[in-house]
Short mmCIF file of all heavy atoms in Angstrom, two decimals:
data_model
loop_
_atom_site.label_atom_id
_atom_site.label_comp_id
_atom_site.label_asym_id
_atom_site.label_seq_id
_atom_site.Cartn_x
_atom_site.Cartn_y
_atom_site.Cartn_z
N GLY B 27 -9.13 31.51 -14.45
CA GLY B 27 -9.71 30.44 -15.26
C GLY B 27 -10.56 29.50 -14.44
O GLY B 27 -10.61 29.59 -13.21
N ARG B 28 -11.29 28.63 -15.14
CA ARG B 28 -12.11 27.63 -14.43
C ARG B 28 -12.35 26.44 -15.34
O ARG B 28 -12.21 26.53 -16.57
CB ARG B 28 -13.44 28.24 -13.99
CG ARG B 28 -14.35 28.65 -15.13
CD ARG B 28 -15.59 29.37 -14.60
NE ARG B 28 -16.39 29.88 -15.70
CZ ARG B 28 -17.38 29.18 -16.26
NH1 ARG B 28 -17.67 27.97 -15.84
NH2 ARG B 28 -18.09 29.71 -17.25
N LEU B 29 -12.73 25.32 -14.70
CA LEU B 29 -12.99 24.10 -15.46
C LEU B 29 -14.36 24.18 -16.12
O LEU B 29 -15.34 24.63 -15.51
CB LEU B 29 -12.95 22.88 -14.54
CG LEU B 29 -11.57 22.44 -14.06
CD1 LEU B 29 -11.70 21.36 -12.99
CD2 LEU B 29 -10.71 21.94 -15.22
N ILE B 30 -14.40 23.74 -17.37
CA ILE B 30 -15.68 23.64 -18.09
C ILE B 30 -15.70 22.29 -18.83
O ILE B 30 -14.66 21.65 -18.98
CB ILE B 30 -15.86 24.79 -19.12
CG1 ILE B 30 -14.74 24.73 -20.18
CG2 ILE B 30 -15.92 26.14 -18.44
CD1 ILE B 30 -15.07 25.46 -21.45
N PRO B 31 -16.88 21.86 -19.30
CA PRO B 31 -16.92 20.65 -20.11
C PRO B 31 -16.17 20.87 -21.43
O PRO B 31 -16.29 21.94 -22.04
CB PRO B 31 -18.40 20.43 -20.39
CG PRO B 31 -19.12 21.30 -19.44
CD PRO B 31 -18.21 22.43 -19.09
N MET B 32 -15.42 19.92 -21.86
CA MET B 32 -14.67 20.01 -23.11
C MET B 32 -15.60 19.83 -24.29
O MET B 32 -16.28 18.81 -24.39
CB MET B 32 -13.59 18.92 -23.15
CG MET B 32 -12.96 18.70 -24.50
SD MET B 32 -12.12 20.17 -25.07
CE MET B 32 -10.83 20.26 -23.87
N PRO B 33 -15.68 20.82 -25.20
CA PRO B 33 -16.47 20.60 -26.42
C PRO B 33 -15.87 19.41 -27.20
O PRO B 33 -14.67 19.38 -27.46
CB PRO B 33 -16.28 21.90 -27.20
CG PRO B 33 -15.86 22.91 -26.17
CD PRO B 33 -15.09 22.15 -25.15
N VAL B 34 -16.71 18.46 -27.54
CA VAL B 34 -16.22 17.23 -28.20
C VAL B 34 -15.53 17.57 -29.52
O VAL B 34 -14.60 16.89 -29.94
CB VAL B 34 -17.38 16.25 -28.43
CG1 VAL B 34 -16.93 15.03 -29.23
CG2 VAL B 34 -17.92 15.77 -27.08
N ALA B 35 -15.97 18.62 -30.15
CA ALA B 35 -15.36 19.01 -31.42
C ALA B 35 -13.88 19.34 -31.26
O ALA B 35 -13.09 19.21 -32.21
CB ALA B 35 -16.09 20.22 -32.00
N ILE B 36 -13.50 19.74 -30.09
CA ILE B 36 -12.09 20.12 -29.87
C ILE B 36 -11.23 18.90 -29.54
O ILE B 36 -10.18 18.69 -30.12
CB ILE B 36 -11.98 21.16 -28.72
CG1 ILE B 36 -12.64 22.47 -29.15
CG2 ILE B 36 -10.53 21.40 -28.35
CD1 ILE B 36 -12.65 23.52 -28.06
N SER B 37 -11.70 18.10 -28.61
CA SER B 37 -10.87 16.98 -28.16
C SER B 37 -11.73 15.97 -27.43
O SER B 37 -12.67 16.34 -26.73
CB SER B 37 -9.76 17.46 -27.23
OG SER B 37 -9.11 16.37 -26.64
N ALA B 38 -11.40 14.72 -27.60
CA ALA B 38 -12.07 13.68 -26.84
C ALA B 38 -11.13 13.08 -25.80
O ALA B 38 -11.37 12.03 -25.26
CB ALA B 38 -12.59 12.60 -27.77
N GLN B 39 -10.03 13.76 -25.59
CA GLN B 39 -9.04 13.24 -24.65
C GLN B 39 -9.60 13.23 -23.24
O GLN B 39 -9.82 12.19 -22.66
CB GLN B 39 -7.78 14.12 -24.68
CG GLN B 39 -6.96 14.01 -25.94
CD GLN B 39 -6.04 12.80 -25.90
OE1 GLN B 39 -6.49 11.67 -25.81
NE2 GLN B 39 -4.75 13.03 -25.98
N CYS B 40 -9.81 14.41 -22.71
CA CYS B 40 -10.31 14.55 -21.34
C CYS B 40 -11.60 15.34 -21.40
O CYS B 40 -11.73 16.25 -22.22
CB CYS B 40 -9.27 15.28 -20.48
SG CYS B 40 -9.87 15.72 -18.85
N GLY B 41 -12.54 15.01 -20.55
CA GLY B 41 -13.83 15.69 -20.57
C GLY B 41 -13.80 17.08 -19.97
O GLY B 41 -14.80 17.77 -19.96
N LEU B 42 -12.64 17.47 -19.48
CA LEU B 42 -12.53 18.77 -18.82
C LEU B 42 -11.60 19.70 -19.60
O LEU B 42 -10.65 19.24 -20.24
CB LEU B 42 -11.97 18.60 -17.40
CG LEU B 42 -12.78 17.70 -16.45
CD1 LEU B 42 -12.01 17.44 -15.17
CD2 LEU B 42 -14.12 18.35 -16.13
N ALA B 43 -11.89 20.97 -19.53
CA ALA B 43 -11.00 21.97 -20.14
C ALA B 43 -10.93 23.17 -19.21
O ALA B 43 -11.81 23.37 -18.37
CB ALA B 43 -11.54 22.38 -21.50
N TRP B 44 -9.86 23.95 -19.37
CA TRP B 44 -9.67 25.15 -18.52
C TRP B 44 -9.98 26.37 -19.36
O TRP B 44 -9.27 26.66 -20.33
CB TRP B 44 -8.24 25.18 -18.00
CG TRP B 44 -7.98 26.21 -16.94
CD1 TRP B 44 -7.35 27.40 -17.11
CD2 TRP B 44 -8.35 26.14 -15.57
NE1 TRP B 44 -7.29 28.08 -15.92
CE2 TRP B 44 -7.89 27.32 -14.95
CE3 TRP B 44 -9.02 25.19 -14.80
CZ2 TRP B 44 -8.09 27.58 -13.59
CZ3 TRP B 44 -9.21 25.45 -13.44
CH2 TRP B 44 -8.75 26.63 -12.85
N LEU B 45 -11.04 27.08 -19.00
CA LEU B 45 -11.49 28.24 -19.77
C LEU B 45 -10.76 29.49 -19.29
O LEU B 45 -10.72 29.76 -18.09
CB LEU B 45 -13.00 28.42 -19.60
CG LEU B 45 -13.61 29.63 -20.30
CD1 LEU B 45 -13.58 29.47 -21.83
CD2 LEU B 45 -15.04 29.85 -19.82
N ILE B 46 -10.22 30.23 -20.26
CA ILE B 46 -9.54 31.48 -19.89
C ILE B 46 -10.01 32.62 -20.79
O ILE B 46 -10.24 32.43 -21.99
CB ILE B 46 -7.99 31.36 -19.98
CG1 ILE B 46 -7.56 30.60 -21.23
CG2 ILE B 46 -7.42 30.72 -18.75
CD1 ILE B 46 -6.07 30.48 -21.39
N GLY B 47 -10.15 33.77 -20.17
CA GLY B 47 -10.55 34.95 -20.92
C GLY B 47 -9.35 35.57 -21.64
O GLY B 47 -8.20 35.27 -21.28
N PRO B 48 -9.60 36.41 -22.65
CA PRO B 48 -8.51 36.99 -23.43
C PRO B 48 -7.53 37.81 -22.60
O PRO B 48 -6.33 37.81 -22.85
CB PRO B 48 -9.24 37.84 -24.47
CG PRO B 48 -10.64 37.97 -23.99
CD PRO B 48 -10.92 36.82 -23.10
N GLU B 49 -8.06 38.47 -21.56
CA GLU B 49 -7.19 39.33 -20.75
C GLU B 49 -6.24 38.54 -19.86
O GLU B 49 -5.24 39.07 -19.39
CB GLU B 49 -8.04 40.31 -19.91
CG GLU B 49 -8.85 39.68 -18.79
CD GLU B 49 -10.12 38.97 -19.24
OE1 GLU B 49 -10.37 38.88 -20.46
OE2 GLU B 49 -10.86 38.46 -18.37
N ASP B 50 -6.58 37.25 -19.59
CA ASP B 50 -5.78 36.44 -18.67
C ASP B 50 -4.81 35.50 -19.38
O ASP B 50 -3.95 34.90 -18.75
CB ASP B 50 -6.70 35.57 -17.79
CG ASP B 50 -7.62 36.41 -16.93
OD1 ASP B 50 -7.14 37.45 -16.44
OD2 ASP B 50 -8.78 36.03 -16.76
N ARG B 51 -5.00 35.39 -20.67
CA ARG B 51 -4.33 34.33 -21.40
C ARG B 51 -2.79 34.36 -21.27
O ARG B 51 -2.18 33.36 -20.90
CB ARG B 51 -4.74 34.47 -22.87
CG ARG B 51 -4.18 33.43 -23.74
CD ARG B 51 -4.79 33.61 -25.09
NE ARG B 51 -3.85 33.19 -26.11
CZ ARG B 51 -4.19 33.01 -27.36
NH1 ARG B 51 -5.41 33.25 -27.75
NH2 ARG B 51 -3.29 32.61 -28.22
N ASN B 52 -2.22 35.50 -21.57
CA ASN B 52 -0.75 35.56 -21.55
C ASN B 52 -0.17 35.28 -20.17
O ASN B 52 0.79 34.55 -20.02
CB ASN B 52 -0.27 36.92 -22.06
CG ASN B 52 -0.51 37.07 -23.55
OD1 ASN B 52 -0.74 36.06 -24.23
ND2 ASN B 52 -0.51 38.30 -24.03
N ARG B 53 -0.84 35.88 -19.17
CA ARG B 53 -0.36 35.69 -17.79
C ARG B 53 -0.41 34.21 -17.40
O ARG B 53 0.53 33.65 -16.83
CB ARG B 53 -1.23 36.52 -16.85
CG ARG B 53 -0.83 36.39 -15.40
CD ARG B 53 -1.75 37.26 -14.53
NE ARG B 53 -1.72 36.78 -13.16
CZ ARG B 53 -2.78 36.67 -12.39
NH1 ARG B 53 -3.98 37.00 -12.84
NH2 ARG B 53 -2.67 36.24 -11.16
N LEU B 54 -1.52 33.57 -17.73
CA LEU B 54 -1.68 32.17 -17.36
C LEU B 54 -0.65 31.29 -18.07
O LEU B 54 -0.01 30.43 -17.45
CB LEU B 54 -3.10 31.68 -17.70
CG LEU B 54 -3.36 30.23 -17.31
CD1 LEU B 54 -3.42 30.06 -15.79
CD2 LEU B 54 -4.65 29.71 -17.92
N LEU B 55 -0.49 31.51 -19.37
CA LEU B 55 0.45 30.66 -20.13
C LEU B 55 1.89 30.86 -19.66
O LEU B 55 2.65 29.90 -19.57
CB LEU B 55 0.32 30.94 -21.63
CG LEU B 55 -1.01 30.51 -22.25
CD1 LEU B 55 -1.04 30.85 -23.74
CD2 LEU B 55 -1.28 29.03 -22.06
N GLU B 56 2.21 32.09 -19.35
CA GLU B 56 3.57 32.38 -18.83
C GLU B 56 3.81 31.62 -17.53
O GLU B 56 4.84 30.98 -17.35
CB GLU B 56 3.73 33.88 -18.57
CG GLU B 56 4.16 34.68 -19.78
CD GLU B 56 4.12 36.18 -19.47
OE1 GLU B 56 4.25 36.55 -18.28
OE2 GLU B 56 3.94 36.97 -20.41
N GLN B 57 2.82 31.70 -16.64
CA GLN B 57 2.95 31.04 -15.34
C GLN B 57 2.98 29.51 -15.50
O GLN B 57 3.73 28.82 -14.82
CB GLN B 57 1.80 31.45 -14.41
CG GLN B 57 1.90 32.87 -13.90
CD GLN B 57 3.13 33.08 -13.03
OE1 GLN B 57 3.41 32.30 -12.13
NE2 GLN B 57 3.89 34.13 -13.32
N ALA B 58 2.13 29.01 -16.39
CA ALA B 58 2.08 27.56 -16.61
C ALA B 58 3.44 27.05 -17.08
O ALA B 58 3.93 26.01 -16.63
CB ALA B 58 0.99 27.22 -17.62
N GLN B 59 4.03 27.83 -18.00
CA GLN B 59 5.34 27.41 -18.51
C GLN B 59 6.41 27.50 -17.42
O GLN B 59 7.21 26.58 -17.24
CB GLN B 59 5.72 28.29 -19.70
CG GLN B 59 6.98 27.79 -20.39
CD GLN B 59 7.29 28.59 -21.65
OE1 GLN B 59 6.72 29.65 -21.89
NE2 GLN B 59 8.20 28.09 -22.46
N LYS B 60 6.35 28.60 -16.69
CA LYS B 60 7.34 28.83 -15.64
C LYS B 60 7.28 27.74 -14.56
O LYS B 60 8.31 27.27 -14.07
CB LYS B 60 7.07 30.20 -15.00
CG LYS B 60 8.09 30.65 -13.99
CD LYS B 60 7.71 32.06 -13.51
CE LYS B 60 8.48 32.43 -12.26
NZ LYS B 60 8.00 33.70 -11.71
N LEU B 61 6.06 27.32 -14.22
CA LEU B 61 5.88 26.36 -13.13
C LEU B 61 5.84 24.92 -13.62
O LEU B 61 5.73 23.98 -12.83
CB LEU B 61 4.58 26.67 -12.38
CG LEU B 61 4.54 28.06 -11.75
CD1 LEU B 61 3.13 28.42 -11.31
CD2 LEU B 61 5.49 28.13 -10.56
#
Side-chain angles (χ1 to χ4, degrees):
Chain B
R28 65 185 174 91
L29 287 171
I30 61 160
M32 167 62 66
V34 174
I36 293 177
S37 170
Q39 289 278 61
C40 171
L42 301 171
W44 190 257
L45 178 69
I46 42 179
E49 69 282 4
D50 298 322
R51 182 173 149 168
N52 289 343
R53 180 180 159 222
L54 181 69
L55 292 179
E56 274 173 26
Q57 288 296 312
Q59 188 175 13
K60 186 177 166 187
L61 300 167

